[in-house]
Amino acid sequence: MAKEFIAPGKIVTGKGSLKEVAKYIEGFGKKALIVCDQITEKLGKVKIITDALSKKDISFAIYDDFLGEPTNVMIADALSIYRKENCDFLIGIGGGSALDIMKAVAAMDANEGKLSDYMGKEITGIKTKMVAIPTTAGTGSEATQFTIVSDVDTGVKMLLKGAQLMPDVAIIDPELTMTLPPKMTASTGLDALTHAVEAYTSRKAQPLTDTLAISAIKRIFNYLPLAFHDEGSDVARTQMSIAALEAGMAFNNSSVTLVHGMSRPIGALFHVPHGISNAMLLSVCLEYAKEGAKERFADMARAIGAANDSDSVEVAADIFMSQIKKICHVCQIPTLAGYGIEKEAFFAQIDKMAEDAMISGSPSNTVRELDVEVIKELYRKLYD
Ligand SMILES: [Zn+2]
């Protein structure tokens, strides 16, 4: 069977690469809409871009009026600025939210109707050039054909996709992640780990995604605890930036599975940040998936040096699970209760969450058979 692999048109990595941005937007347009979060702006990172644009006589407008993860309302606001200001290309700099807003703006500029009309469809028609510059090491959005946007009217965190949502240029400058606070380092780093593990254990895994996923998993186990404890650690931050990119490229081409499927509804209804809800789910979901892919779990344990060749597949797979628990513990991931979510409120939403998870399509890429009842049971287990 033919296997497709898509990636950004150009990937630029390395410390200080943001300063070279002018080189990579040649011919993209006359006026950029820069989508950025206010923290990135305050840190002076957006100015590096605007200075570069000015030197090239390219004008710009800025959309930074958002907090938290993208909603359809934010997309409508950003799109109206894009049109009113006559912008003709997009630059997204920030965490996953800024990049996802950028992609959704490109999608809705090219298409009629509402964002929710495109759930489950391939979004096409995008001609706008996009430059993605992540300031966290986690979402991998710079290298994916997805954008995740919550619909405030339906309470659904929508997974929207299309090969044309892939950024034309991704600039991965680890310098941008150096001041990331520990909590953000943990949640985004574990999001990247989730991407890599899910990519490696997805039904759609393929040789190229396997290579990237295993490489990301190794880097994350080696360097996430270091980056978490020492925010300034140059080497750890650089390694995590590459890991997030690798993991993004991996799941972009082989899909995420059960964890992400179950994580989005928790995020939509209980406002748990994406990386945290993933991390909360990792152990319960992977324990379930493991029974369908012991060899793959054993591979991961061996890749990170936690198991060796003399360990049986069974033992090595279990070792990997204990390593997952350990890294979540090291990164101080709370439980649902610890996060302040009441049991009653959570249980009241399990039916809706399980259905929304199933509809997203991600859970069915899990290597082990499952249905909506299994997901409900896993949500219950997660709380207890
Ligand atoms: Zn994710």
Side-chain angles (χ1 to χ4, degrees):
M1 202 177 64
K3 296 190 195 304
E4 219 176 84
F5 188 96
I6 64 169
K10 190 172 278 179
I11 298 174
V12 185
T13 59
K15 239 181 130 178
S17 50
L18 179 62
K19 295 198 177 83
E20 312 279 315
V21 62
K23 222 191 316 189
Y24 302 107
I25 53 168
E26 202 71 65
F28 278 16
K30 292 192 175 69
K31 185 165 186 177
L33 177 69
I34 302 174
V35 179
C36 59
D37 49 64
Q38 292 171 5
I39 302 169
T40 306
E41 228 177 338
K42 276 191 197 117
L43 290 170
K45 306 303 181 190
V46 178
K47 192 168 180 298
I48 298 176
I49 300 172
T50 55
D51 285 351
L53 293 177
S54 299
K55 264 189 209 146
K56 291 235 154 201
D57 274 331
I58 296 169
S59 43
F60 59 87
I62 289 180
Y63 172 71
D64 62 0
D65 190 16
F66 65 93
L67 255 184
E69 295 178 0
T71 66
N72 54 330
V73 178
M74 295 173 193
I75 309 307
D77 287 350
L79 179 61
S80 83
I81 296 172
Y82 182 82
R83 287 180 169 161
K84 200 174 72 198
E85 295 281 341
N86 289 315
C87 297
D88 53 5
F89 73 106
L90 286 153
I91 299 174
I93 176 165
S97 297
L99 308 192
D100 278 8
I101 292 171
M102 169 184 76
K103 293 180 190 174
V105 167
M108 293 321 288
D109 185 49
N111 289 285
E112 300 287 320
K114 293 184 299 189
L115 257 182
S116 55
D117 299 340
Y118 297 92
M119 244 174 98
K121 293 181 192 154
E122 172 84 11
I123 296 178
T124 57
I126 301 171
K127 294 198 180 74
T128 312
K129 296 285 186 185
M130 285 184 274
V131 182
I133 309 165
T135 58
T136 62
T139 69
S141 183
E142 69 275 12
T144 74
Q145 56 187 318
F146 308 108
T147 177
I148 314 286
V149 181
S150 289
D151 188 323
V152 295
D153 305 314
T154 58
V156 173
K157 202 164 175 177
M158 304 179 289
L159 167 67
L160 302 158
K161 105 173 249 231
Q164 293 174 2
L165 287 175
M166 179 63 81
D168 298 278
V169 175
I171 299 177
I172 294 91
D173 184 344
E175 185 105 19
L176 298 172
T177 68
M178 294 294 167
T179 52
L180 213 58
K183 258 193 186 158
M184 287 280 285
T185 302
S187 65
T188 51
L190 289 172
D191 184 28
L193 178 63
T194 311
H195 295 154
V197 173
E198 294 204 277
Y200 192 68
T201 58
S202 160
R203 282 184 198 275
K204 293 181 182 159
Q206 50 159 304
L208 281 175
T209 61
D210 285 350
T211 307
L212 289 164
I214 287 290
S215 173
I217 290 165
K218 284 202 234 174
R219 285 187 217 270
I220 295 167
F221 272 99
N222 277 331
Y223 293 103
L224 177 57
L226 234 76
F228 177 69
H229 289 300
D230 173 16
E231 15 188 292
S233 168
D234 217 66
V235 176
R237 295 284 178 188
T238 303
Q239 291 290 329
M240 283 304 298
S241 283
I242 298 293
L245 169 70
E246 289 172 326
M249 290 170 81
F251 91 85
N252 181 59
N253 292 286
S254 75
S255 175
V256 283
T257 62
L258 187 56
V259 183
H260 271 73
M262 288 180 63
S263 173
R264 288 182 214 109
I266 297 179
L269 297 172
F270 297 98
H271 309 290
V272 182
H274 176 67
I276 305 279
S277 54
N278 280 342
M280 285 170 172
L281 281 158
L282 266 178
S283 174
V284 163
C285 291
L286 294 183
E287 202 63 70
Y288 180 85
K290 187 190 78 180
E291 297 307 311
K294 284 192 181 158
E295 297 269 359
R296 292 242 138 192
F297 279 78
D299 290 349
M300 292 188 282
R302 292 189 179 114
I304 61 171
N308 47 48
D309 290 344
S310 60
D311 292 313
S312 68
V313 167
E314 194 97 14
V315 167
D318 287 339
I319 289 175
F320 186 71
M321 285 312 303
S322 59
Q323 291 295 318
I324 286 283
K325 287 180 189 129
K326 195 170 144 196
I327 200 166
C328 288
H329 180 74
V330 166
C331 290
Q332 299 167 12
I333 294 305
T335 59
L336 285 169
Y339 196 79
I341 297 167
E342 308 259 340
K343 184 168 184 179
E344 219 166 278
F346 189 76
F347 273 60
Q349 296 288 356
I350 284 182
D351 286 2
K352 175 178 165 55
M353 289 196 292
E355 264 144 43
D356 289 349
M358 212 58 203
I359 292 168
S360 77
S362 305
S364 21
N365 293 315
T366 310
V367 274
R368 185 174 169 195
E369 288 296 332
L370 51 81
D371 58 19
V372 78
E373 291 309 317
V374 168
I375 294 180
K376 285 182 196 171
E377 186 52 38
L378 291 173
Y379 274 129
R380 286 191 280 269
K381 218 174 173 179
L382 176 66
Y383 201 98
D384 301 324

